[in-house]
Every structure is written in C-alpha cells, then in structure tokens.
Amino acid sequence: MTNLEVSPREELCPPGQPGGYAGNGPCLQLWPAREVPLGGVRAMNVLRTLPQRGLPTVGAWCFLDSFGPDRVAMSVLPHPHTGLQTVTWPLAGNIRHRDSVGSDVIVRPGELNIMTAGRGVSHSEFAVLPHQQHQQQDQHDAGPELPLQRGLQLWVALPDGERHRAPAFEQHRDLPEVAGAGFTATVMVGSFAGTTSPATMYSPIVGADISCSGPVALPLDPEFEHAVLVLDGGIAIDGQDVPPGPLGYLGTGRQLLELDALPDTRFILLGGEPFQEELLMWWNFVGRTHDEVAEARQDWEAQAGLPDPDAEASRFGLVRGHGPDAGAEAGRIPAPALPGVRLRPRTRS
C-alpha cells in the first residue's frame, strides 16, 4: 500500500538517541492512532500510528498503517517509493503485488512481502476478488460479497549506506515460528526469542506477530527500543492497559517484557536500535533533504506518458499490466503538489 493521503505533509524525523525517545530505560507511552482518509474512487480509511510528532520512528520503523477489517476492495495503482523498505503483512484477504522489478505475486495472511525501494521503485496493489467478480453478471445481480480485507503496511527506513541501492523484492511464505510459556510468535523480520526471519533487512530490527493469553514474559534485546500494537484482545504492561488502537512505546533497556494478556490476544512487536539519522518523509519518499524529495517527485512526474521502453529505463521503472487497455487497473497515481515552505526539524516528546 502507498501513502494515499490526499494532502500529505512533510515529516521531518529527528535522529533517534541511544536511549530511545523516552531517555534511557523502559517506559510505557500510549500514542493514539489517527484516522487517515485515503484517496481514490473507493476510498478507505486507515489508522496511522507512525510517524507521530513526538515519536517519528521506533528503531528503523518509520511508518505503520492498519487497515480494516472492512469489505472494501483495495485498488492502488502504480506509485513510487525511495529510501525505504515496504513490509506488507495481510491479516485477512489476499493482495496482488506487481512492481517495476518484475514481480507479480499474491500475498496471503501469514506471508510476508518486502520491497526494497533503494534509489527508486514503483508498484501496485489490488485486492484479489472472487472469480465471479470478473464475469459478466445480470444488472440486477449485486454479485458475491467482497472479501474481508485487514492488514498492516509498514515502512523501514534504509540507512544512508543502503538507501541508494538497486530496488529488490522478496516474498516469504513460510516464516519461522517460536513458542514459549503462554505465547506463540511468527518472526516477520529480524530475530526474536532465538529465532531469526530469512527476510533481508539493513539495520538491527525486529518485527513479530504474537498470540498469547494470561501472564507472559517475552525476551527482548535491551539495546533496542520497542513498541507494541494490539490487534485483538488486550494486554497490561507495568499495570497499564494497552487496548487495540494506540501504539504502546516501551523505550529501551528491557531484557524481558512481562505482560498479562486477555484470552486470544494478538499483537505486533516492533523494535530496533534507535535510528541515528535524520529523515525527511513526504508522500511515498524517504529522504534527507527537501531538495532530494522534490527531485524524486519531479522524476516520477516526468515519467507520465512515456512509452513503455522509456518508462522501463527511467528511475522508477515500469509496472506492467496498467496500460490504457487495463480497464479499472489502467493508469498511475500522480504525485501531490509539494508544500510551499521548507519545514524545520520537529522536537521530540
């Protein structure tokens, strides 16, 4: 998924500190999600918990959207990215991913898509609809119900030494799982509880999908800052309830996360070494300066209307299958206008 916000704002993300945003040591801060309307004919709303004005990153994680559950067909035409990795984690419903690297795959719940934008990539994402949706139907027949869609879209900022690399894509259909007293976890990226994901990442990081009930103790890397996003159920940490919705920032210095979970609780654990570089985020670009982001926007707009061979050779490449004969899947997403001012660095909370 792209950032389809109708009027995106520039996000200047100050570099992280070794002790995390709350200083040295553990904490628990609840950062509320904000509802973001996404553009398009069949617009859907998402809940965004990263970036926040006072919490721009957790490790290298710099963007977190939660969508659904809803019966809205995802329909995201080709759009660009720079300087990041997209991490797609569907919870319900299947998504077709196509990109300028040449990938054309379907990702299902329990499977992971990672696209490394590097210097520039473009991709599209569409919900996989029932076969009957593509057949001619009687005008009085409403057709089958749209499949339920629910999932997470995350971005990971690439460090300076990796952000200009060639774009790449990988899909992992059989991720490692680990179990302990009261919990099971799928390790999406990085390492958790002695188990390591095969996903290629470029900074010390962790992402795990954890199911648990009752009292649980989870091992953590004390050098990382961590956060949790509850999907179902609820947990209590340090005597404070963490319900679905807000992002629970845990700070650094925890070797063990002790929590008490409601029955059938499911949450996402994110973490990593505090990111030591300043980031400038706007629309779907992660850069370092206003001029860099403006150049990426200009390069994307310059590709509009190019013949396929020229588009394929350009910075963001060509996503096949979206030509003028592709019906509802024809076209591309134009970049919004840049703001008229340069932003100053924001202070952390």
Side-chain angles (χ1 to χ4, degrees), residues 85-88 97 99 101 103 105 107 111-116 167-173 175 188-189 197-202:
Q85 292 180 285
T86 63
V87 178
T88 304
H97 166 101
D99 62 38
V101 180
S103 313
V105 301
V107 61
E111 300 175 350
L112 182 74
N113 275 6
I114 293 189
M115 184 179 69
T116 301
F169 175 82
E170 57 189 60
Q171 183 179 69
H172 299 278
R173 295 181 174 178
L175 290 167
M188 299 154 55
V189 302
S197 166
T200 302
M201 308 302 289
Y202 295 94

Side-chain angles (χ1 to χ4, degrees), residues 61-121:
W61 299 101
C62 63
F63 183 93
L64 172 54
D65 272 2
S66 174
F67 59 92
D70 203 352
R71 297 189 185 276
V72 175
M74 179 185 295
S75 177
V76 183
L77 289 167
H79 57 278
H81 288 286
T82 63
L84 57 83
Q85 292 180 285
T86 63
V87 178
T88 304
W89 186 243
L91 303 172
N94 302 335
I95 301 170
R96 183 183 182 187
H97 166 101
R98 286 168 282 183
D99 62 38
S100 56
V101 180
S103 313
D104 186 351
V105 301
I106 293 175
V107 61
R108 302 167 178 84
E111 300 175 350
L112 182 74
N113 275 6
I114 293 189
M115 184 179 69
T116 301
R119 62 177 178 263
V121 75

Side-chain angles (χ1 to χ4, degrees), residues 47 66-69 89-92 148-152 209-214 228-236 241-246 259-269:
L47 294 177
S66 174
F67 59 92
W89 186 243
L91 303 172
L148 193 68
Q149 294 280 322
R150 186 187 186 194
L152 302 176
D209 187 333
I210 300 173
S211 297
C212 59
S213 297
V228 294
L229 180 72
V230 175
L231 303 175
D232 302 304
I235 57 179
D241 289 338
V242 183
L259 57 87
D260 196 19
L262 294 175
D264 301 319
T265 286
R266 184 180 184 184
F267 69 92
I268 300 295
L269 173 72

